[in-house]
Structures are given as C-alpha cells and as structure tokens.
Amino acid sequence: MHYGGDYNPEQWPEEVWAEDVARMREAGVTMVSLGIFAWSRLQPAEGEFDFAWLDRVIDLLHEGGIAVDLATATASPPPWMHEAYPEILPVTADGVTLGPGSRQHYAPSSPIYRRLASELVTALAERYVNHPGVVMWHVNNEYGCHLHEDHSPAAQEAFRAWVEARYGTVEALNEAWGTAFWSQRYTAFSQVRTPAAAPYSHNPGQLLDFKRFTSDMLLECYLMEKEIILAAGATQPITTNFMGPFKPANYPQWAEHMDVVTDDAYPDPDEPESFRDAAFQRDLIRSMKPGVPWLLMEQVTGALNWRPTNAPKAPGQMAALSMQCIGRGADGVLFFQWRQSRAGAEKFHAAMLPHAGTGTRIWREVTALGAELAALPPLPAGTADARVALVMDWESWWAVESPDHPSNMLDYVAVLQRWYRALHRRHVMVDIVPPERVTVSDYSLVLAPALYLLRPEGAAALDAFVADGGHLLAGPFTDVVDERDAFLDGGFLTRLGAALGVSIDDFGALARPGAAGQGEAPLDGPFGTVTGTLLAEEVVLRGAAPVATFVTGRRDGDAALTEHAYGSGVGWYLATVPDEAGADAIAGWALERAGVAPVLAGLPATVEAAQRGNVVTVINHGDSDVTVALAGRDLLAGVQVTTVTLAPYGYALVERL
Ligand code: GLA
C-alpha cells in the first residue's frame, strides 16, 4: 500500500527537508511525488540544469525509507521560456493568448515546448533512472486540466497535419465532415483550421475531430516523455495522473500506455451524495486496467481552495473516502500535498502536514490512516467482481454534447452518474467501460444510456451480448450517428435495432424546466410511475413489446420502455432520461430481471459495499451506527467476525471465507 503525497521541497529552505522526512516516517508515508512544479528550479536557463538540490532531496528521502515517484516537472514552464519563445503560449477559441503567471501555459502541440520538455526529461531520466529511491515516473501533471483546447499557431499547423494523416486526401476529408453543407468544401489541407470563434455553429465532424486531436496532442506529449524515460533504461512503472471523467482526454485509450493508472479526485464534502460520484470515479478508473490495481495520486485531507466555497472534510471523512479507493481496487492513496504551502495560490489548500502543525485534527487523521494502511495485508487485484457494466464512451460524450441537437440540455456524465448512483444504492459492483469491452462472459446486465455515437465494433459487441444471453438496457438518444457524427442509412438505431426490436421516428425533445411546453414525461411500468426528462422519443415497435408506457403529454399511451427477446438475451429500450427516482426504480427492476445480486443484501443505502476479489469493504456514509452481517476476517482488526458495527464514516475490510 502506497501512502504519501506531492512533495514540493523547492518551496522550503533546506533545513525543513530533514524534518519533512522525519514527519513522513511518523505519518507512515511510503512514497512521495517529487518535484511536479520544479521546472524553474531544475533549469534556471536554457541548456543549464541544477540537479544538486534534487540529488540531496532524493538521497534524503531514500535514506529515510521514502520512495520517490519522480515527476518530469514539465507542467509549468519557467519564465525564461516564454520570454525567449512567446510562441509556446496557448490561445483560446476567441484568440486570447493565455499568458504566464499561473501554470500549464504551454501549447501541447508546440514543437518548441516539446523540444524543451524533452531536454529536461532526458537530463532527469539519465540522471535518476538507476537511483534505487526512484520507484515510479510521474510524467507531467494532469494533462489538459486547465487547457481544454488550444488554437495557437502551433495548434493550427498540428491540426492540419493530424487531419491530413487521418484522411489522406481532401476528398476523404470532405466526405467525412460533410462539407457539401454550407459551402465548406476544402480544396487543400492548408485551408483547414481549428474550430475557433466563428459567426455560427461549427461543422460537427470538425468539432469531433478537434476533440480527438486535442486528446491526441496531450497523449503525444505523454508518450514523448515516456519514450525518453524508457530510452534512458527505466524499469520503473511510468504514469501520468488522470482526473476521473475528464472530457478533453480519452482516458480509456490513454490507459493502454500507463503502467499503472493513477487518478486525482476531489469530491465535495458539502454534497451529501458526493461519495457515490466518488465511487463512480473509482470504478471508472478501476475499469481502465482490469485486474491491475490503480493508485489515488491526489486527494485532499481537508478543505480545498478552488471551489466557490471550500468546506472542510468532516472528522473521519478523509479516511472513509480513502478506504473507498482501496475497496475499489487502489493499492494506495496519496494527497496533494505533503506540507501546506506558506505562499502561492494554494496556501489555503489543506495538506498532510497542516500549516498549523502537528497538533491538529488533520495530522492525527493522517497518521492514523498511515498506520492502518501499513497494517493491511496485500489485497487481491480484483477481477470479474462486477456483473454489471455501464457503458461510457469518450467519443460519444464529445459528440452527444455537440450543439444543435433535439435537446441541448443533455449532460452525459450526469446521466451516467444518475444510473451509477442507483446501482450504488443497491450495493452492486459496476464496471464502466467502452462498448467494445462488453461481453456476456463478463456481464449479465449492461446499461448504455445516451450512447449517441456508436462505432461498428461497439455495436457488434452489444448485439452479440444480447444474442448470447445478456440483458441490455439502451437509450434514449443511442445509436444515432457513426464516427463522423453523421447519420447512417436507414434511420436511427440502425445497428442496435435488431437486438432491441424498435426504431425511432422522432426524439421528442421536452422543454427545459420552467420553460413553456411539456417538460416532463411520466411513464407507467412494473416499477411504478416515474418521471422522464429531456426526451420522450417516438418509438416504433419492430418486434419488441412495451413494458412501460408514457402517461399524459404528447406521447400519452405510447411505449416508453420496450422489451425484445433476441437470441438468448433481452434488449430493453428506454425512450426518455429518467429523473433520479426514475433511474433508481428502473435500475432496481432491471437488476432483478437480470438476476444480479448485490455485494451484500439488506444494507441501508447510505452504507456502501464494494468487492475486490474475496475482500468486501463496507463504509458507513450515514449519520448513525450500523451493524452489518459479514462473516470473515476483519483485515484491519485482524480478527474473525460475523458482524461489523460501523460508526458514521466507519469502515471495515473483510476477507470472505
Ligand atoms: C490538482 C493538481 C495539484 C493541485 C490540486 C489542488 O489536482 O494536480 O497540483 O493544484 O489540483 O486541488
């Protein structure tokens, strides 16, 4: 189990470093992410490096038994760089150059930025690759976090090259983007630009490719650094820290290039249900590399600084959220950051070692958690723990939130999280995967809401899943376009229609809350009467039978949820986006129909249960004590149990026999 945080010794005089190491040992710290923002200190001028101080820090940590996850420090270019090369700065869609004075002020596709970053990484890798204290490489930091797109001259040039490499000929590009519309036909790749400020809506194919390009540019930066580290002879795992459901980077694609998937997560302690969305994020990350433990690279011990208001974590909440990670497949938790900064934009951001020192609640909680993690035996990697998959696809996310749709109110992640919360309340383990990963040997029930863009392989996997005996709950606004964000011949649901036994005539957009027109679409089914929102689609039955019908409104009496026997499985199609209570009721019904059992039966909804191989983690997010029947070995207490009693924020990890 790794335990620790970002360590930024360059913020402190050297005398503090020895105290840091002593305190780290006291807190049970095993590993720190070192020097993430140290570029200006490591390289005071082009061609000039200063590693002497880093040598001393790494040696000090190593002597103290603290392993180093060594950062490549390329996330915040030093001031000399933009002075010499202002062209490395990124540009917004409105043409505003984003200047220095903050961080991440670089154009990811800039050849100059890439050259300078590679020079730093080469020097670092060659110097430290064989240091016994360096156990992991932390490439850059949160790629794209503050820079969701870039329209700099470097980006224009790179986008043209990217488009040319993807399509080969201008004719193929014109075909893919449907440029016959609005006189957008290109006659040379030199005419292609990023979708920056324009009088009206952009070409959707271009928008989608720009999202792909943006993710690819950031990934190229990562891969460039990774190659340099490998070329220097590295044998340590290499990673960069993800941010859960982060739209600009297609993480499932990136995960192939990570030796270990690492994640940063900051659930809002003011949101009573944020632990469920946190669990969604853990499961999303866990699903990216099945069977390979992941690492929580950053969380916060207490209050943040970057929300409009920054509530502290309640006593015990930090440990409970940490154990949520462990229970859902992490082999360690780290924090931003080790020692609270004295100056700078994040000085109010809580840390492991608070500004107010060691006589604080946070310090007591930090040391207690360190001791608990140290006492845990190795845990199973955890595979095939989930029988339910929630389909999440980045390309579909990009396309479904493109403008000019029947409803422009659809928030893809919010829809997915709503379904996830319903499953989480029922203590069911869920994998969150792209459609291509769906197989009937892995899953009994698959939910595919708003899977607007569907690739042929994904469609084939979902079709086979039903044919082979799975239960698929799809829709609404699913299987609408291909990879170009264009309609296919034959209407909608052209690939999944066979399995679902329906087609769609109209998407039936509903009014925004408070606006004129029908805003809600109630439906009646075996799960009671629930509320649909955003869309009430006009479904045409082509072999399927209605399970639920709309009541009142423009679709009154029409099918709202359909069922179709296909091969040895069942295809359900839902024609609306249910509200929270509706998703809850429908998920409960679908789980029962698909015969999916919870990790533990009979728990209150505020008690979370997760499975990792034969280890069950239970966490009480409620405000009163709960006793849970759970037989096995309590791994924290080191005793056999038949029940565990959990105080608020209490948790137990029990190895089932
Ligand atoms: C991100 C960054 C850290 C820090 C934290 C603050 O996760 O990686 O450097 O800024 O946010 O919460």
Side-chain angles (χ1 to χ4, degrees), residues 39 77 81-82 84-91 105-118 147 150-159 213 217-218 220-221 224:
W39 196 345
M81 199 177 298
H82 59 80
Y85 305 104
E87 61 271 43
I88 68 157
L89 295 173
V91 176
H105 46 286
Y106 63 86
S109 44
S110 157
I112 298 173
Y113 166 76
R114 289 188 183 189
R115 173 178 66 77
L116 292 164
S118 67
L147 192 76
D150 172 35
H151 300 267
S152 65
Q156 301 297 344
E157 203 166 310
F159 187 53
F213 160 81
M217 286 304 103
L218 295 168
E220 274 186 17
C221 288
M224 176 191 81

Side-chain angles (χ1 to χ4, degrees), residues 146-450:
H146 311 297
L147 192 76
H148 293 190
E149 55 184 60
D150 172 35
H151 300 267
S152 65
Q156 301 297 344
E157 203 166 310
F159 187 53
R160 278 192 283 276
W162 185 95
V163 167
E164 186 164 0
R166 183 174 174 91
Y167 294 107
T169 64
V170 178
E171 291 68 36
L173 167 67
N174 283 318
E175 175 59 28
W177 286 3
T179 57
F181 186 76
W182 282 352
S183 183
Q184 292 173 352
R185 195 172 159 273
Y186 296 96
T187 52
F189 283 110
S190 58
Q191 297 152 4
V192 172
R193 298 171 55 128
T194 65
Y200 185 46
S201 296
H202 277 288
N203 179 307
Q206 182 186 9
L207 283 177
L208 178 59
D209 272 340
F210 185 60
K211 299 273 188 217
R212 292 187 175 111
F213 160 81
T214 298
S215 180
D216 283 0
M217 286 304 103
L218 295 168
L219 181 59
E220 274 186 17
C221 288
Y222 169 77
L223 291 173
M224 176 191 81
E225 295 197 17
K226 182 182 177 185
E227 290 309 320
I228 292 170
I229 296 165
L230 286 174
T235 53
Q236 303 94 336
I238 303 174
T239 189
T240 187
N241 43 349
F242 288 178
M243 293 163 278
F246 177 67
K247 193 174 174 185
N250 189 343
Y251 283 156
Q253 218 174 62
W254 287 44
E256 292 167 27
H257 307 287
M258 306 293 139
D259 295 321
V260 50
V261 176
T262 60
D263 190 47
D264 300 349
Y266 293 95
D268 188 348
D270 257 350
E271 290 277 343
E273 291 271 291
S274 67
F275 67 90
R276 292 196 213 282
D277 295 343
F280 168 89
Q281 183 162 342
R282 321 298 189 205
D283 283 349
L284 171 66
I285 293 294
R286 178 182 52 77
S287 303
M288 286 189 195
K289 265 201 189 301
V292 181
W294 58 280
L295 201 59
L296 184 74
M297 192 60 97
E298 285 183 30
Q299 64 169 343
V300 66
T301 54
L304 291 170
N305 63 297
W306 46 261
R307 289 204 170 95
T309 58
N310 295 287
K313 281 183 172 160
Q317 196 174 11
M318 179 271 283
L321 286 168
S322 300
M323 288 301 172
Q324 183 186 57
C325 299
I326 305 297
R328 294 179 184 276
D331 263 1
V333 292
L334 289 86
F335 296 85
F336 178 83
Q337 62 179 329
W338 159 249
R339 185 188 275 270
Q340 188 170 359
S341 297
R342 192 165 274 202
E346 294 183 320
K347 62 182 179 298
F348 283 103
H349 192 295
M352 297 179 84
L353 178 53
H355 178 66
T358 53
T360 49
R361 169 170 69 83
I362 284 184
W363 179 253
R364 286 189 293 277
E365 291 191 15
V366 162
T367 51
L369 179 60
E372 274 194 333
L373 290 176
L376 271 182
L379 299 180
T383 48
D385 300 327
R387 293 300 301 166
V388 179
L390 180 60
V391 174
M392 174 170 186
D393 188 83
W394 255 254
E395 293 200 331
S396 194
W397 181 6
W398 294 334
V400 81
E401 292 182 0
S402 226
D404 306 307
H405 283 180
S407 169
N408 292 305
M409 303 282 298
L410 194 143
D411 174 336
Y412 183 60
V413 170
V415 170
L416 293 182
Q417 286 179 329
R418 189 176 295 168
W419 284 108
Y420 180 88
R421 286 193 292 268
L423 300 163
H424 188 269
R425 273 183 216 109
R426 287 175 165 70
H427 313 101
V428 167
M429 280 299 280
V430 185
D431 283 351
I432 302 169
V433 295
E436 289 80 1
R437 286 261 308 275
V438 167
T439 68
V440 82
S441 53
D442 286 330
Y443 306 115
S444 309
L445 172 65
V446 169
L447 277 61

Side-chain angles (χ1 to χ4, degrees), residues 24-25 103 113 127 137 168 172 175 223 260 281 286 292 297 357 368 384 466 470 495-496 544 550 580 593:
M24 284 176 192
R25 292 171 64 88
R103 64 176 175 185
Y113 166 76
R127 192 171 186 96
W137 289 91
E175 175 59 28
L223 291 173
V260 50
Q281 183 162 342
R286 178 182 52 77
V292 181
M297 192 60 97
V466 183
R495 281 83 50 89
L496 297 183
F550 288 116
E580 187 86 16
R593 285 289 312 276

